[in-house]
Amino acid sequence: MTEELNPFKIAQQQFDEAAKILGLEPAMREMLRWPRREYRFTIPVKLDDGTTRIFHGYRVQYNDARGPTKGGLRWHPDETMDTVRALSAWMTWKTAVVDIPLGGGKGGITCDPKKLSEGEKERLARGWMRVAARELGEHRDSPAPDVYTTPQIMAWMMDEYETIVGRSHPAVITGKPLPLGGSQGRGDATARGGVYTVREACKVLDVDPHGAYAVQGFGNAGQYAALLHQEVLGGGKLVAVSDSGGGVYNPDGIDPRAIVDHKLKSGVVKDFPGTKPISNEDLLELDVNVLYPSALENVIHGRNAGNIKARICCELANGPTTPEADQILHNNGVHVIPDFLANAGGVTVSYFEQVQGTYNYFWTLEQVHRELDEKMTRAYHDVLKMQKSMNVHPRLAAYLVSVARVAEAVKLRGWV
Ligand code: NAD
């Protein structure tokens, strides 16, 4: 039988396992295994050549029992309703695991932003907001950046929203540039939160934080993971990084700052001086203390999980590991910090950005880091405690923590 790779089916499969252990009643299970609301949009955009193209966009509000839904917008050629559904489900578990008063949502547009000019991107961002605006708002649902969406795109969208509603509304969207009400510390929050959990895992497992580490995917999450691993943990040897164009490897170590600069300048990591090429697949199987999958879904699956040698796998990407691989990693003693815990730093600082935007007073970088550290550290230990008490793998433990919290809110509201 071939392994299931539809991300939403995987998300439901993961949820079902937790629901069974928690003994959720059938109505609660049905409620939590589906999104509450889904929207599909057609977005006409005038291209630079004078023609008009219709783009397809999505927004899914998965569950708002604990608070208004929140989640990123992905612009990717492979974006489908099912990837958005899966990501919105994971957002629901993510906001619950870090215990912030929000639900989970997600959105996206099927497009290849690398083939769009700046003007076309702006018209696409504003076009998405024009059709989605009536479903959004900080008390309803608020977007943020994700794969291939940027603070500039968030700024255009906020401007369009404020133009539609006719008043200031900075908290409708997060991940904005600082001069437009962005938060200090939002840029590196996802990776920073992940590195905080790695710090805790190293202590618990007695793993040397100064050993080798590797990063797959070298965008926002991956680049900051490369830099912050050393900054937060006080050392560590970066041995490999990769992006969609392939990877580079040097067992003696790669200077994270220099490779980030190289990527920002050339757009790719390949040909970085002093390194050998390595494929994305081989990078995952390197003998490292910490592995950061920071690209896309399903990269660790039934066929390669047995070859993963990392002691700690900190999933900054959403959905990088299939359920079959999860069990193999657990049996082999690989400590997985599951995606919706590992990468919750982004939404946590997005939440801080909303709070600051709402009362129009902004925190220092130190305060953001302190509050983020507290939330991530507490969430990591909540999951670890569950893992030990239920004797399950870490992802299932994280699900047990989150699903129980969301189910409690659903129950208290009297929905089920
Ligand atoms: P990004 O667009 O900044 O970077 C994505 C990177 O992945 C790029 O370097 C790209 O070249 C690389 N990539 C694409 N396809 C690849 C492939 N097949 N193999 C290897 N690399 C590939 O995106 P990001 O914001 O860094 O997001 C990366 C992951 O982290 C996604 O799964 C995203 O959902 C997750 N995430 C991001 C945030 C955030 O705040 N940025 C928050 C939570 C989760």
Side-chain angles (χ1 to χ4, degrees):
M1 205 181 84
T2 54
E3 210 178 347
E4 177 59 71
L5 295 181
N6 175 318
F8 184 51
K9 294 232 168 82
I10 290 177
Q12 286 187 318
Q13 203 177 327
Q14 292 165 336
F15 164 77
D16 288 342
E17 213 182 335
K20 197 164 147 206
I21 295 176
L22 290 168
L24 296 187
E25 60 197 282
M28 182 68 83
R29 283 191 204 193
E30 193 60 11
M31 175 92 218
L32 296 185
R33 76 194 299 276
W34 292 100
R36 287 214 88 193
R37 292 180 211 91
E38 303 185 340
Y39 304 98
R40 244 200 108 92
F41 310 116
T42 45
I43 310 157
V45 174
K46 296 246 178 322
L47 302 181
D48 291 347
D49 65 7
T51 62
T52 298
R53 192 167 142 201
I54 309 300
F55 289 86
H56 293 274
Y58 317 89
R59 187 73 189 170
V60 175
Q61 297 166 353
Y62 194 87
N63 190 287
D64 54 2
R66 286 173 46 86
T69 51
K70 173 132 200 70
L73 293 174
R74 214 181 243 210
W75 287 13
H76 196 275
D78 300 333
E79 198 66 61
T80 65
M81 188 54 116
D82 268 350
T83 50
V84 178
R85 284 181 178 135
L87 290 158
S88 70
W90 290 324
M91 282 307 298
T92 304
W93 316 133
K94 192 183 302 194
T95 50
V97 83
V98 282
D99 204 12
I100 54 180
L102 296 172
K106 204 79 184 189
I109 299 175
T110 311
C111 68
D112 186 350
K114 289 181 185 167
K115 294 193 180 137
L116 297 174
S117 70
E118 282 303 286
E120 289 167 339
K121 281 192 222 172
E122 176 174 352
R123 292 192 288 280
L124 181 56
R126 291 183 184 277
W128 186 91
M129 185 50 96
R130 274 199 297 278
V131 278
R134 68 182 68 176
E135 319 303 344
L136 304 178
E138 67 264 38
H139 299 299
R140 195 176 274 174
D141 180 24
S142 63
D146 195 85
V147 174
Y148 296 143
T149 52
T150 58
Q152 176 61 73
I153 290 173
M154 299 304 113
W156 290 323
M157 286 188 170
M158 182 196 77
D159 182 68
E160 191 66 26
Y161 185 84
E162 291 187 343
T163 306
I164 292 167
V165 299
R167 63 192 170 101
S168 165
H169 242 295
V172 69
I173 203 157
T174 58
K176 302 181 295 295
L178 281 177
L180 293 185
S183 175
Q184 294 283 352
R186 177 61 183 86
D188 69 11
T190 300
R192 181 175 289 276
V195 173
Y196 288 151
T197 63
V198 167
R199 179 195 64 206
E200 296 306 302
C202 285
K203 282 189 228 160
V204 170
L205 303 169
D206 201 19
V207 169
D208 179 9
H210 300 162
Y213 66 106
V215 181
Q216 187 201 44
F218 217 51
N220 172 294
Q223 290 174 25
Y224 280 121
L227 294 166
L228 291 172
H229 182 99
Q230 297 191 358
E231 186 188 310
V232 172
L233 303 177
K237 187 165 69 170
L238 176 66
V239 293
V241 305
S242 66
D243 60 19
S244 53
V248 292
Y249 172 61
N250 181 352
D252 297 326
I254 298 170
D255 177 2
R257 184 72 261 168
I259 185 99
V260 168
D261 290 344
H262 172 80
K263 165 83 183 174
L264 293 177
K265 208 165 357 151
S266 68
V268 287
V269 297
K270 72 171 191 229
D271 298 332
F272 182 67
T275 59
K276 287 187 287 201
I278 186 169
S279 68
N280 264 295
E281 293 73 29
D282 290 346
L283 177 144
L284 294 172
E285 298 178 11
L286 287 172
D287 190 359
V288 290
N289 282 3
V290 185
L291 175 66
Y292 292 96
S294 315
L296 295 173
E297 301 88 28
N298 298 329
V299 293
I300 303 177
H301 41 69
R303 280 162 289 118
N304 67 358
N307 303 329
I308 305 288
K309 298 173 200 69
R311 296 286 315 281
I312 296 168
C313 179
C314 176
E315 296 180 340
L316 293 179
N318 282 306
T321 308
T322 65
E324 187 180 334
D326 253 334
Q327 202 53 55
I328 299 171
L329 295 178
H330 185 55
N331 294 344
N332 290 349
V334 179
H335 181 77
V336 173
I337 306 178
D339 50 7
F340 67 82
L341 166 62
N343 66 33
V347 72
T348 302
V349 176
S350 268
Y351 162 61
F352 297 160
E353 181 176 331
Q354 269 191 321
V355 170
Q356 297 167 79
T358 304
Y359 66 55
N360 207 9
Y361 182 78
F362 288 83
W363 305 352
T364 62
L365 183 61
E366 292 68 32
Q367 183 174 356
V368 171
H369 288 172
R370 198 170 55 245
E371 304 258 354
L372 176 64
D373 197 348
E374 197 189 305
K375 288 257 176 240
M376 295 304 299
T377 301
R378 179 168 322 144
Y380 176 82
H381 287 283
D382 285 349
V383 171
L384 187 71
K385 202 163 131 208
M386 181 66 85
Q387 190 192 335
K388 286 185 176 157
S389 72
M390 300 298 284
N391 195 22
V392 291
H393 61 73
R395 186 179 328 276
L396 187 49
Y399 265 94
L400 293 175
V401 170
S402 299
V403 172
R405 286 178 182 166
V406 178
E408 186 188 14
V410 167
K411 195 104 209 151
L412 286 167
R413 282 177 181 272
W415 290 351
V416 171

